[in-house]
Amino acid sequence: MKQKVLKQAYLPDALTADLRDRYELLELAQMSPADLAAVAGEITVVITNGEAVVTREFIDALPALKLIAVFGVGYDGVDVAAARDRGVAVTHTPGVLTDDVADLAIGLLLATSRRIVAAQKFIEQGGWQQSGFQWTRKVSGARLGILGMGRIGQAIARRAQAFDMEIAYNDPKAHSQLPYRYVADLTDLAAQSDFLMVCAPGGAGTRGLINQPVLEALGPQGMLINISRGSVVDETALVQALESGTLAGAGLDVFADEPHVPAALQQRDNVVITPHMASATWETRREMSRLVLENVIAWFAGEPLVTPVP
């Protein structure tokens, strides 16, 4: 008899098929509360994604639960403290998506500073027939501040070095092995940056870190790029900064209430937005799927988990 595994949120079709081949895969979206209650005592593994929410109440509703496998590097939607209290392990998929996220971060930085999307619209709307496009901002040699110097922050810094950017960062602690300048205060980092790159994890500890004082310090020539979590940025303060001219522009892959994007961030020449797609390449999603499957297989086999959360 196959073990029961609960799919709590969206997963790629190929991963879903692999799981269904190995296990009795139950899809929460197709179950009523009564359906879930009927099998709750048999579910030991839940698989979710990096954008979904797994609450203490949900964990408590599954008395046999032993593993939550997250398809994604971010796991701030999972109540890890509740899982720990219940002896439930949590895994994620770090490392394999670092390059893709860093690539898109640089893409957003370039697209925002050079107003590439606005330039395309300018041509399509016939503007080039009337005049030249507005001048834009230079990237090479500019000052890049990075909030969060983990794997992704470091990968972005390495790419930025190819543009001769002056790199500084803010993190809970300085990394003495890195060649970049550490700035202990985030507002100071913003004041010393032309571009502020947000690479911090989500969760209560980072909620609203990019607030009005930080945006004001970044200033009317500064630009914000966020490829981490929408919750790290005070979205209301960001809109106000863009509308008042306190901030020059923003490149955003993540938002506070996805998939809902404030209308005030849309149709702006100085804002580039993408639908939380930084890790969404075929190659990386295959690797993420592989890690999820390996963690589930390891747990059922009684072997050490491949990528448990820290």
Side-chain angles (χ1 to χ4, degrees), residues 53-280:
V53 175
V54 182
T55 64
R56 180 178 291 271
E57 291 73 22
F58 184 79
I59 293 170
D60 287 343
L62 302 173
L65 184 63
K66 294 299 180 183
L67 174 68
I68 300 170
V70 179
F71 177 84
V73 65
Y75 51 89
D76 46 289
V78 178
D79 191 331
V80 176
R84 183 173 58 244
D85 292 345
R86 274 278 313 279
V88 177
V90 182
T91 63
H92 62 151
T93 60
V96 295
L97 47 67
T98 298
D99 284 338
D100 274 345
V101 176
D103 288 350
L104 188 73
I106 295 298
L108 282 173
L109 190 155
L110 288 167
T112 304
S113 61
R114 301 304 304 271
R115 299 203 173 188
I116 291 172
V117 176
Q120 178 172 336
K121 292 179 180 178
F122 177 76
I123 293 174
E124 293 170 346
Q125 294 167 0
W128 202 11
Q129 306 300 320
Q130 311 300 322
S131 65
F133 188 64
Q134 59 187 292
W135 295 353
T136 60
R137 295 286 308 283
K138 184 177 182 178
V139 170
S140 293
R143 301 172 301 169
L144 175 64
I146 300 177
L147 169 60
M149 195 51 93
R151 291 185 185 92
I152 292 172
Q154 292 177 41
I156 292 169
R158 291 193 297 271
R159 286 155 173 76
Q161 285 181 298
F163 290 90
D164 296 321
M165 300 188 84
E166 179 185 321
I167 301 165
Y169 71 97
N170 173 265
D171 208 49
K173 63 179 181 179
H175 301 271
S176 58
Q177 77 279 13
L178 297 178
Y180 317 118
R181 183 166 54 89
Y182 176 69
V183 180
D185 183 80
L186 177 56
T187 304
D188 288 345
L189 177 67
Q192 299 168 28
S193 301
D194 299 307
F195 300 92
L196 183 60
M197 181 74 68
V198 184
C199 304
T206 60
R207 187 173 302 279
L209 274 183
I210 305 298
N211 53 20
Q212 181 181 347
V214 171
L215 295 170
E216 289 178 350
L218 187 54
Q221 301 301 315
M223 296 186 177
L224 179 76
I225 311 297
N226 187 9
I227 45 74
S228 60
R229 281 289 189 263
S231 61
V232 183
V233 175
D234 181 336
E235 222 164 64
T236 300
L238 174 60
V239 168
Q240 291 173 347
L242 290 165
E243 292 183 340
S244 67
T246 302
L247 190 68
L252 310 167
D253 186 49
V254 290
F255 305 90
D257 184 26
E258 296 175 4
H260 307 290
V261 178
L265 292 175
Q266 302 181 43
Q267 307 299 327
R268 300 185 69 99
D269 285 351
N270 61 340
V271 176
V272 178
I273 52 178
T274 52
H276 202 148
M277 56 177 277
S279 66

